[in-house]
DNA sequence: TGCCTGATTGCCT
DNA sequence: GGCAATCAGGCAA
């Protein structure tokens, strides 16, 4: 296995829209106490600051969403439905609360460990959802605010190198799980057309 | 202080 | 396809 080098913070210092597509095809890695786990990012959603009613930061800063206001390249992890964690990558310059939700991965590193944590046997069911991939990688609230440009939790180019997806390979769609009127009609979800690992077609 | 809801998942029918 | 699980954050009182 070649050495995995975290991508620099400069990549994240752009709008969540741009970062959401720039992250497709990248490798999300967690070098945890149980070993290294990771997968290729195949689905993302952008959350855009105050003008976006679906964004947690739309009503200003609270203790929960504070990481979104921090420097780019950090993790924003929160609990939904009282039991599932969702991992976001903070985007935009410090003070601008934008983030990209990682919704699905194609598992490639530590597959057996991830399947065990998930309690499933199919790689397709391993990381096909924001709550699923956090469980699979062993990511939890303790990673809230973590620096994603350095181990143990980081984003890198995949083994063999990164090649940007063809424009026709990226599908743009509406975001999932938002209330009507909360920005559910905005085309801010992106996924790889040919990937069988996305959460929903 | 109390009530309500959610950037989901998995089990049951 | 429908719905329960489960609890912290956010808001009203």
């Amino acid at each position: 296995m070649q050495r995995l080098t975290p991508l620099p913070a400069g990549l994240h210092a752009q709008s969540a829209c741009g970062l959401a597509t720039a992250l497709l095809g990248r490798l999300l890695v967690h070098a945890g106490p149980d070993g290294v786990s990771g997968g290729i990012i195949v689905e993302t959603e952008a959350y855009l600051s105050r003008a976006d009613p679906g964004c947690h930061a739309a009503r200003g800063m609270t203790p929960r969403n504070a990481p979104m206001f921090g420097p780019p390249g950090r993790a924003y992890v929160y609990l939904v439905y009282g039991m599932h964690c969702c991992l976001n990558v903070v985007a935009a310059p410090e003070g601008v609360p934008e983030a990209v939700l990682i919704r699905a991965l194609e598992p490639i590193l530590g597959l057996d460990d991830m399947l065990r944590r998930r309690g499933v046997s199919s790689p397709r069911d391993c990381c096909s959802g924001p709550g699923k991939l956090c469980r699979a990688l062993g990511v939890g609230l303790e990673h809230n605010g973590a620096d994603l440009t350095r181990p143990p939790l980081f984003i890198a180019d995949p083994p063999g190198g990164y090649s940007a997806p063809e424009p026709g390979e990226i599908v743009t769609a509406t975001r999932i799980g938002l209330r009507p009127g909360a920005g559910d009609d905005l085309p801010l979800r992106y996924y790889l057309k040919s990937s069988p690992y996305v959460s929903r077609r």
Side-chain angles (χ1 to χ4, degrees), chain A residues 14-166:
Chain A
Q14 59 177 307
S15 130
C17 282
L19 182 61
T21 51
L23 289 178
L24 292 175
R26 309 283 187 179
L27 180 66
L28 175 63
V29 185
H30 184 208
D34 298 339
V36 176
S37 300
I40 305 295
I41 297 171
V42 298
E43 180 179 352
T44 58
E45 282 181 0
Y47 287 85
L48 305 177
S49 189
R50 314 185 86 102
D52 173 11
C55 180
H56 284 174
R59 303 249 173 192
M61 186 164 66
T62 67
R64 177 167 78 149
N65 65 31
M68 289 184 78
F69 289 79
R74 301 291 184 88
Y76 168 43
V77 184
Y78 64 88
L79 196 62
V80 280
Y81 298 105
M83 60 185 84
H84 300 295
C85 291
C86 292
L87 171 64
N88 296 250
V89 180
V90 175
E94 185 165 359
V96 180
E98 299 193 7
V100 175
L101 171 67
I102 308 298
R103 284 194 58 89
L105 304 176
E106 173 184 346
I108 62 168
L109 298 177
L111 178 59
D112 289 344
D113 288 333
M114 292 197 284
L115 291 174
R116 176 175 46 75
R117 292 193 199 96
R118 286 273 296 118
V120 299
S121 58
S122 165
R124 288 177 50 148
D125 289 337
C126 185
C127 303
S128 55
K132 293 179 182 179
L133 69 89
C134 283
R135 173 67 73 89
L137 289 176
V139 169
L141 293 179
E142 67 271 27
H143 296 97
N144 192 28
D147 186 351
L148 296 176
T149 65
R150 53 175 298 174
L153 183 61
F154 61 98
I155 294 168
D157 284 335
Y162 166 79
S163 60
E166 295 293 325

Side-chain angles (χ1 to χ4, degrees), chain A residues 171-187:
Chain A
V171 178
T172 301
T174 55
R175 295 175 295 184
I176 293 176
L178 298 186
R179 294 176 58 168
D184 61 308
D185 55 339
L186 300 177

